[in-house]
Amino acid sequence: MELKEGMYIRTKYNDFCNMVAIRKIDEIDDDGSFWIDDYIIDTYGDEQDKLHEEDVEFASEDIVNVIKPGDYVNGVEVEEINDKEIMLVDTHLRIDKKVANRLIESIVTKEMIDSVKYEVK
């Protein structure tokens, strides 16, 4: 996968983030390392405190393409997503991905929620 400045990435679970996160690539250096949210991500090194290209699950210029069902967009759970549309749980309306891409203000991944939830048994 070729990563570029301005692309959104969805990380795999790793020790660097301790969760799955969605971030935007701010800058790519000449050596192939790249920056997100003031963290350097090294695509060639093997240091434990850096992400590597293989830690990226999805990358896209459109943020809507790094979302999965179970994530929360603008506070509403994503029920279904396909090549053309996204459907949120509360609305049960199918929204064109091009339109949804412009409306997204925040995303919380399912894995982030799972990492902080407490289940009452």
Side-chain angles (χ1 to χ4, degrees):
M1 128 182 28
E2 183 180 343
L3 301 175
K4 300 175 189 170
E5 289 179 17
M7 289 182 89
Y8 294 94
I9 61 170
R10 182 187 188 99
T11 64
K12 297 176 185 174
Y13 183 88
N14 58 56
D15 293 334
F16 179 81
C17 293
N18 289 322
M19 69 182 78
V20 172
I22 294 175
R23 297 289 186 261
K24 187 174 186 177
I25 298 173
D26 295 325
E27 180 181 338
I28 298 180
D29 294 338
D30 292 337
D31 65 357
S33 59
F34 58 96
W35 294 82
I36 57 167
D37 299 335
D38 296 327
Y39 295 106
I40 188 168
I41 313 274
D42 187 352
T43 58
Y44 297 107
D46 52 1
E47 297 178 29
Q48 291 295 324
D49 62 337
K50 294 181 180 179
L51 275 176
H52 305 277
E53 191 171 345
E54 61 266 13
D55 294 319
V56 175
E57 183 175 3
F58 301 121
S60 176
E61 293 177 4
D62 295 324
I63 196 164
V64 72
N65 292 327
V66 296
I67 297 170
K68 286 182 166 182
D71 291 348
Y72 282 74
V73 172
N74 299 346
V76 182
E77 185 178 359
V78 175
E79 183 173 341
E80 186 182 322
I81 192 163
N82 60 40
D83 291 341
K84 296 182 181 185
E85 301 168 320
I86 182 171
M87 185 169 70
L88 305 178
V89 170
D90 287 357
T91 64
H92 296 292
L93 296 173
R94 296 187 181 277
I95 304 167
D96 183 88
K97 284 175 89 173
K98 290 179 183 180
V99 173
N101 197 62
R102 293 191 306 266
L103 299 175
I104 294 173
E105 296 176 3
S106 65
I107 301 170
V108 179
T109 65
K110 178 186 184 309
E111 294 82 2
M112 288 174 159
I113 292 169
D114 289 345
S115 74
V116 295
K117 76 177 177 184
Y118 175 77
E119 291 186 22
V120 179
K121 297 180 182 183

